[in-house]
Amino acid sequence: MLKIKLHSKVLGALLLLALVPLILLLFNSHHSLRLVEDLLRQRTTETLDTQATKALEKRTQMVADQVTVFLQQIEGNLLDLALLTPDQENYQKFGNNHQREIWYRGGSNSNPIEIRENIPLYSELAFIDPTGQERVRIVNGFPSERLRVITDRNQTTYPGEDYFLQAARLLPGQIWTTHLTGWHVSRDEQLQGAADPLEAIEGKKYVGVIRFATPVYSQGEWQGVVVLSLDHRHLMTFTQHISPIDDQDAVFPSYESGNYAFMFDDEGWMITHPKFWNLRGFDVTGELVSAYTVDTPQDVIDAGRIPFNLLTAAFVHPNYPKVAELVRRGESGVLSTINVGGSHKIMAYAPILYRNGVYQQSGVFGGVTIGAEIDLFHLPATSTALLIQNEINNYLMQSWLVISVTVMFVAFVAYLLSNNIARPIKLLTDGTRKMTSGKELRVKVDVKSNDEVGELANSFNQMVEELSRRRERLLRTMQALRRSRKEIISERNFKNTLFENIETGLITFDSEERVTSANGPACRILDMPRPTGEPHWQQLLRDWPEFKHVLEGWFNNRDCSSINSRPLYVPVERHGRKLTYRLALFPLSFRQEDGWLLTIEDLTERVNMRHQMARMDRLASLGRMSAGIAHEVRNPLTGVSLLLDELHDRLLGQQADQLLIRRALEEIERLESLVSQMLRFSAAKPPKLHDGRIDGVLRDSIFLLRNQCQRQQVTIDEHIAGNLPDLLLDADRIKQVILNLVNNALDAMPGGGVLTIRAELHDDNIMITIADNGEGISADQLPLVFEPFFTTKGHGTGLGLSICHNIITEHGGDIQIDSKLLQGTRVQIIIPLSSDPIPLAEETT
């Protein structure tokens, strides 16, 4: 058996313990650095792309703002021109004084040159009198001898222009601005054999104008209209020279590269673009050339008569109409697209804000877009990523060299120290293994040595003690944290449950009167969503002026000690209902900040119940009194009636006396009828409820009254739903209610009218509506209609509506009356499909 010396064992162990971690460290470092490299390249690429995107968007917004300022300067020029005397000298001088530089390619296709020159800002200046006759006209800086009648739209530069008629309607100082107007240039006309627009120097140029017009008044009288026609070439300068990849301007962009900018108006039409055949324009007949769409005929495409409108360009890329819509909403941003030439682009867009003339409704003149080809757009990020990769590779090579040298050095040191540290290292290893296994956390290594190994062993022992103490403290801290967390969660759940499930609405305000929280009942009471942010209380309660008035008084007082001692009852009327709320404000102190707590309680049902109980008590008392009076009066009336009847029979031959007695008997009969109604009112019995259908009761009632309606020339408008379900009802009493209400309606329409009877299912209720267009009831009498003995007819007992109210209430329903004087009355009955009958407050005999 081969015997290995301790030195060899220690040396082998040292080499193993030293080299294996180094090798693992080497591979782990390599792997980690590669991960870092990928992450760094990704983050760097994203950051550079984000910065480039923001820069592109900012540049687009800057160009859009420049166009807005340019349009405003033109408006200022127009108003200045309106102040001048309208003659050729003034207008020509004005036009020559307003010039602007343009930069373009001239020469020939084979020998192009760059030209910079100042040209007039306005290709036309004109003054038109009220009859539409041009009095002054300057064209391209020179007076024109051809003065036209602009009211004849066939005589305008581009047939069909109406800028004079539009400006004539404006008030002093107002301005009418038109869309771009010009002759359409086809693809063949621009290229004329050239490969692309960049090389088409000799091709036909787009000629167009945007007209600005304003009325001229002198001493309150309209003198005419002054017109400035902006040369389209000046509008092109804002996008023609933009190079999206760098800050260097270009005389003319390359469409094939995809790196160019263009402008479109509020209707989506392109108004500046390297390809002139994409621009909005008119044909020789004066008709606007149709936009390029997926349905455009092939012969039109081949002829190059294809102006571009972003709103109809979804077939090219769906983001084109999206950009147009976003710009029309005043938004800016960045999207990816593919142009007609197939270039993949990053396109930034921004709105040109403007609100005069045809742009008044949209609020934007149009939009500016700057596009960059995707590969070139990502070029800085790609270059930076490649640079990072090269640096990481160099670092890894140096790391491999350092670690290799370290491995050799460790092996050499291990060989030298193996004899001296074999036993102590073994002891330290055993102690470490015991600690890492968790079997013994307070292990102690006993090494009797004064050298570094001994110091290492002592340090190890101290470390073990310190780790043990820290572990114990950590365990105690974790236990305390668990208890605290459990207590906090319990307290939070309790408060949330209490705050959200209490019936009272709770709203809290901070010291600056801003809303900090509102519970669910408060949102339901105020019919609002849960507030977000911290709105001011006046914004939260803008639909509740009654509450605002109360809170303004409280917050102006600022005396919280007096506020919380006197809650207020606030009446509110919403959707025809009278509601009652109780408000109270209490001071709060939370986290050393002052505030208030507002409580809102809906007391409507409680108040209505009190009113109902008071009315029932009043009706019960009235019933007892009516019953007593009826009993006391009925017997004497019967005796008087018999005596008068006997006296009538004895006065045969005395017609005059008999007539008086008959009239007395008629009055006694009417009095007995009144007494009988009072007895029936006071001795009301509970309804006899049976399953039945309300539509049958309604049709029976209408049948009984149809002849009477025809005699009074009253038209019945009957709408009874066919899906009404069965319900528990006393058919006779419901019919009594319907007949009583219909008779009241007929009494209100002595000269004829329309009687509307409707029945429909509404949630879990049947809703019956009886309406007329008769005399109506005044607002001061409307609250009294259900009171006993109250009538607006001048005859009758006044018990009909009171009895109707009792019958509907006994069915668990509700009856409401809405009326306007001289307009008519509408009675609405609501009967629930399932309800228990309401017992009478007290039966009387």
Side-chain angles (χ1 to χ4, degrees):
M1 181 177 179
L2 181 62
K3 184 177 180 181
I4 301 175
K5 296 181 179 181
L6 180 59
H7 171 76
S8 300
K9 293 181 180 178
V10 173
L11 178 60
L14 285 176
L15 290 175
L16 183 63
L17 291 175
L19 294 180
V20 169
L22 285 176
I23 294 173
L24 292 177
L25 177 62
L26 178 62
F27 284 102
N28 182 65
S29 299
H30 184 275
H31 177 69
S32 299
L33 284 174
R34 288 301 182 188
L35 292 179
V36 170
E37 174 194 348
D38 294 339
L39 180 61
L40 188 58
R41 290 171 59 189
Q42 178 183 356
R43 295 290 176 84
T44 303
T45 301
E46 292 176 354
T47 302
L48 291 175
D49 285 347
T50 301
Q51 292 177 349
T53 301
K54 291 182 178 179
L56 190 64
E57 182 179 0
K58 185 176 181 181
R59 187 176 184 184
T60 306
Q61 185 64 59
M62 181 179 66
V63 174
D65 293 342
Q66 290 174 351
V67 176
T68 298
V69 172
F70 178 64
L71 296 174
Q72 293 171 350
Q73 291 173 351
I74 296 174
E75 291 183 349
N77 293 341
L78 178 65
L79 297 177
D80 291 341
L81 182 61
L83 299 176
L84 299 179
T85 303
D87 57 43
Q88 288 186 354
E89 181 180 356
N90 287 336
Y91 276 45
Q92 186 174 11
K93 183 177 180 180
F94 183 91
N96 292 332
N97 288 339
H98 290 80
Q99 296 187 1
R100 200 164 182 262
E101 184 183 76
I102 63 172
W103 180 26
Y104 62 95
R105 288 165 63 89
S108 63
N109 292 355
S110 59
N111 186 26
I113 60 174
E114 295 185 9
I115 301 175
R116 294 179 183 265
E117 66 173 330
N118 289 324
I119 65 171
L121 193 59
Y122 308 110
S123 59
E124 291 185 33
L125 298 88
F127 179 81
I128 309 168
D129 67 15
T131 66
Q133 176 67 50
E134 288 182 332
R135 296 302 178 187
V136 180
R137 184 178 180 220
I138 307 298
V139 179
N140 295 325
F142 298 97
S144 174
E145 296 180 356
R146 180 171 176 260
L147 300 179
R148 306 163 298 178
V149 179
I150 302 302
T151 52
D152 183 1
R153 295 168 65 179
N154 291 323
Q155 295 192 31
T156 56
T157 304
Y158 305 98
E161 293 187 272
D162 63 347
Y163 56 88
F164 170 73
L165 299 177
Q166 295 292 347
R169 301 189 183 100
L170 301 180
L171 298 175
Q174 292 184 335
I175 295 174
W176 181 262
T177 308
T178 69
H179 284 118
L180 174 65
T181 308
W183 301 116
H184 182 258
V185 176
S186 68
R187 180 174 55 222
D188 293 340
E189 289 173 335
Q190 181 183 3
L191 296 180
Q192 294 189 4
D196 55 50
L198 182 63
E199 299 177 1
I201 299 173
E202 300 175 7
K204 185 177 180 180
K205 303 298 186 291
Y206 182 88
V207 179
V209 296
I210 297 177
R211 302 195 190 273
F212 296 77
T214 186
V216 178
Y217 286 82
S218 177
Q219 296 181 352
E221 294 185 1
W222 180 42
Q223 304 297 316
V225 172
V226 62
V227 182
L228 286 179
S229 301
L230 173 66
D231 192 328
H232 173 257
R233 289 177 291 176
H234 292 290
L235 198 63
M236 282 284 293
T237 60
F238 285 98
T239 60
Q240 178 174 311
H241 309 307
I242 293 176
S243 177
I245 301 304
D246 51 45
D247 294 332
Q248 300 296 323
D249 292 339
V251 62
F252 197 86
S254 170
Y255 174 76
E256 299 299 330
S257 69
N259 301 312
Y260 61 90
F262 66 84
M263 193 184 305
F264 59 93
D265 64 15
D266 64 326
E267 293 181 346
W269 291 98
M270 284 191 179
I271 57 177
T272 69
H273 195 275
K275 297 192 303 183
F276 295 157
W277 64 83
N278 282 163
L279 302 183
R280 181 182 191 268
F282 294 85
D283 59 18
V284 293
T285 65
E287 296 292 332
L288 185 66
V289 179
S290 300
Y292 182 28
T293 67
V294 68
D295 299 322
T296 300
Q298 187 61 41
D299 59 333
V300 176
I301 298 175
D302 295 339
R305 298 191 300 274
I306 47 175
F308 206 78
N309 190 307
L310 269 64
L311 295 176
T312 62
F315 71 98
V316 179
H317 196 280
N319 279 344
Y320 278 121
K322 184 176 180 181
V323 165
E325 291 295 339
L326 291 172
V327 165
R328 290 168 71 174
R329 295 204 298 263
E331 300 180 18
S332 60
V334 178
L335 290 173
S336 62
T337 61
I338 301 176
N339 66 5
V340 177
S343 296
H344 291 261
K345 300 172 54 179
I346 293 293
M347 186 171 71
Y349 58 90
I352 303 171
L353 303 180
Y354 188 70
R355 287 188 174 275
N356 280 333
V358 296
Y359 310 100
Q360 184 173 6
Q361 182 176 2
S362 63
V364 295
F365 178 80
V368 173
T369 71
I370 300 178
E373 202 273 331
I374 286 183
D375 291 339
L376 293 177
F377 181 79
H378 293 311
L379 183 60
T382 305
S383 301
T384 304
L386 183 60
L387 179 62
I388 291 173
Q389 183 179 10
N390 293 333
E391 292 296 328
I392 293 293
N393 289 336
N394 292 335
Y395 177 78
L396 285 175
M397 292 180 63
Q398 295 174 3
S399 299
W400 274 98
L401 179 60
V402 171
I403 291 177
S404 299
V405 173
T406 303
V407 168
M408 290 186 291
F409 177 75
V410 168
F412 177 72
V413 172
Y415 177 80
L416 294 178
L417 298 178
S418 59
N419 289 326
N420 296 324
I421 63 173
R423 181 175 174 277
I425 290 297
K426 184 178 183 302
L427 293 176
L428 288 173
T429 303
D430 293 340
T432 303
R433 288 173 179 171
K434 292 179 181 179
M435 285 189 61
T436 55
S437 65
K439 296 179 179 179
E440 185 177 352
L441 298 179
R442 291 184 176 273
V443 63
K444 184 177 181 180
V445 177
D446 187 12
V447 176
K448 296 178 179 181
S449 175
N450 296 324
D451 56 10
E452 290 79 359
V453 176
E455 293 179 1
L456 176 62
N458 293 332
S459 299
F460 176 81
N461 293 333
Q462 293 175 3
M463 179 189 69
V464 170
E465 292 294 330
E466 182 64 23
L467 287 176
S468 299
R469 289 194 296 269
R470 291 188 179 184
R471 181 178 180 277
E472 292 175 356
R473 287 198 300 268
L474 181 60
L475 291 175
R476 289 194 298 268
T477 303
M478 291 179 62
Q479 292 174 354
L481 286 174
R482 290 192 186 98
R483 289 194 300 269
S484 299
R485 181 177 180 274
K486 185 176 181 181
E487 293 172 357
I488 291 172
I489 292 175
S490 299
E491 182 178 356
R492 183 195 63 188
N493 293 339
F494 172 76
K495 289 181 178 179
N496 288 342
T497 302
L498 180 64
F499 189 71
E500 290 297 332
N501 292 282
I502 190 172
E503 294 184 358
T504 302
L506 301 177
I507 302 176
T508 59
F509 310 99
D510 61 13
S511 58
E512 297 181 0
E513 301 176 8
R514 294 176 301 184
V515 178
T516 56
S517 66
N519 67 349
C523 296
R524 289 193 298 271
I525 292 174
L526 298 179
D527 191 20
M528 66 175 187
R530 194 177 296 274
T532 58
E534 294 185 351
H536 195 269
W537 69 268
Q538 290 185 341
Q539 179 183 358
L540 184 72
L541 301 178
R542 61 181 178 271
D543 297 330
W544 297 83
E546 302 87 353
F547 292 178
K548 290 177 64 177
H549 177 71
V550 173
L551 283 179
E552 283 175 354
W554 278 343
F555 283 131
N556 291 336
N557 184 20
R558 294 284 183 173
D559 185 2
C560 294
S561 61
S562 61
I563 287 176
N564 61 15
S565 61
R566 51 183 183 89
L568 294 182
Y569 293 81
V570 181
V572 177
E573 185 169 349
R574 286 292 185 279
H575 308 296
R577 293 187 59 204
K578 293 183 178 179
L579 311 173
T580 303
Y581 295 95
R582 181 168 64 184
L583 305 184
L585 191 66
F586 302 92
L588 281 179
S589 179
F590 181 70
R591 293 180 180 175
Q592 298 180 351
E593 295 184 3
D594 294 331
W596 292 272
L597 171 67
L598 174 66
T599 63
I600 306 175
E601 296 181 74
D602 187 354
L603 303 182
T604 303
E605 296 298 330
R606 194 182 306 174
V607 171
N608 291 342
M609 184 62 70
R610 288 177 181 174
H611 291 169
Q612 182 71 12
M613 294 300 295
R615 183 178 184 277
M616 293 176 68
D617 290 341
R618 188 168 62 253
L619 291 178
S621 299
L622 184 59
R624 288 192 297 269
M625 182 187 71
S626 299
I629 293 175
H631 278 297
E632 294 299 329
V633 172
R634 194 171 196 179
N635 292 333
L637 283 178
T638 302
V640 171
S641 177
L642 293 174
L643 292 174
L644 288 175
D645 188 54
E646 180 66 25
L647 182 59
H648 176 272
D649 294 339
R650 291 183 181 182
L651 295 177
L652 295 174
Q654 300 180 25
Q655 297 297 328
D657 294 337
Q658 285 185 331
L659 179 59
L660 292 175
I661 292 174
R662 282 198 299 273
R663 290 183 177 177
L665 287 171
E666 290 175 357
E667 292 300 318
I668 290 175
E669 289 178 358
R670 191 172 70 84
L671 187 57
E672 287 182 344
S673 175
L674 174 60
V675 170
S676 299
Q677 290 189 34
M678 290 174 62
L679 285 174
R680 287 195 299 272
F681 174 73
S682 62
K685 296 180 180 180
K688 298 178 181 179
L689 302 180
H690 301 283
D691 285 335
R693 296 183 62 85
I694 196 70
D695 50 355
V697 176
L698 291 172
R699 291 191 173 91
D700 290 345
S701 303
I702 295 172
F703 175 78
L704 294 176
L705 295 168
R706 192 176 298 277
N707 290 334
Q708 183 178 351
C709 292
Q710 293 175 353
R711 288 194 299 272
Q712 287 189 216
Q713 296 182 349
V714 173
T715 302
I716 300 178
D717 184 10
E718 176 185 346
H719 297 279
I720 300 176
N723 61 340
L724 300 180
D726 293 349
L727 74 160
L728 290 174
L729 56 81
D730 189 330
D732 293 335
R733 289 201 173 190
I734 295 297
K735 184 181 294 184
Q736 178 183 353
V737 171
I738 302 302
L739 293 176
N740 198 336
L741 296 176
V742 173
N743 281 324
N744 287 346
L746 294 177
D747 291 341
M749 298 184 292
V754 178
L755 174 64
T756 302
I757 301 177
R758 295 177 179 272
E760 57 188 350
L761 187 63
H762 188 270
D763 295 334
D764 292 331
N765 304 299
I766 291 180
M767 182 180 297
I768 303 171
T769 303
I770 300 175
D772 63 71
N773 58 351
E775 300 172 353
I777 304 172
S778 62
D780 57 338
Q781 292 180 338
L782 193 59
L784 306 174
V785 293
F786 291 120
E787 294 297 326
F789 305 111
F790 175 80
T791 179
T792 61
K793 302 177 185 178
H795 61 84
T797 63
L799 293 173
L801 287 179
S802 182
I803 293 174
C804 291
H805 185 278
N806 288 345
I807 292 174
I808 296 303
T809 303
E810 291 167 0
H811 281 75
D814 187 23
I815 180 170
Q816 300 174 358
I817 294 183
D818 182 20
S819 181
K820 292 184 179 179
L821 200 60
L822 303 179
Q823 295 185 19
T825 303
R826 181 173 64 91
V827 182
Q828 193 171 68
I829 300 172
I830 300 174
I831 303 177
L833 293 179
S834 59
S835 65
D836 296 327
I838 298 178
L840 297 175
E842 181 180 349
E843 291 192 10
T844 59
T845 57

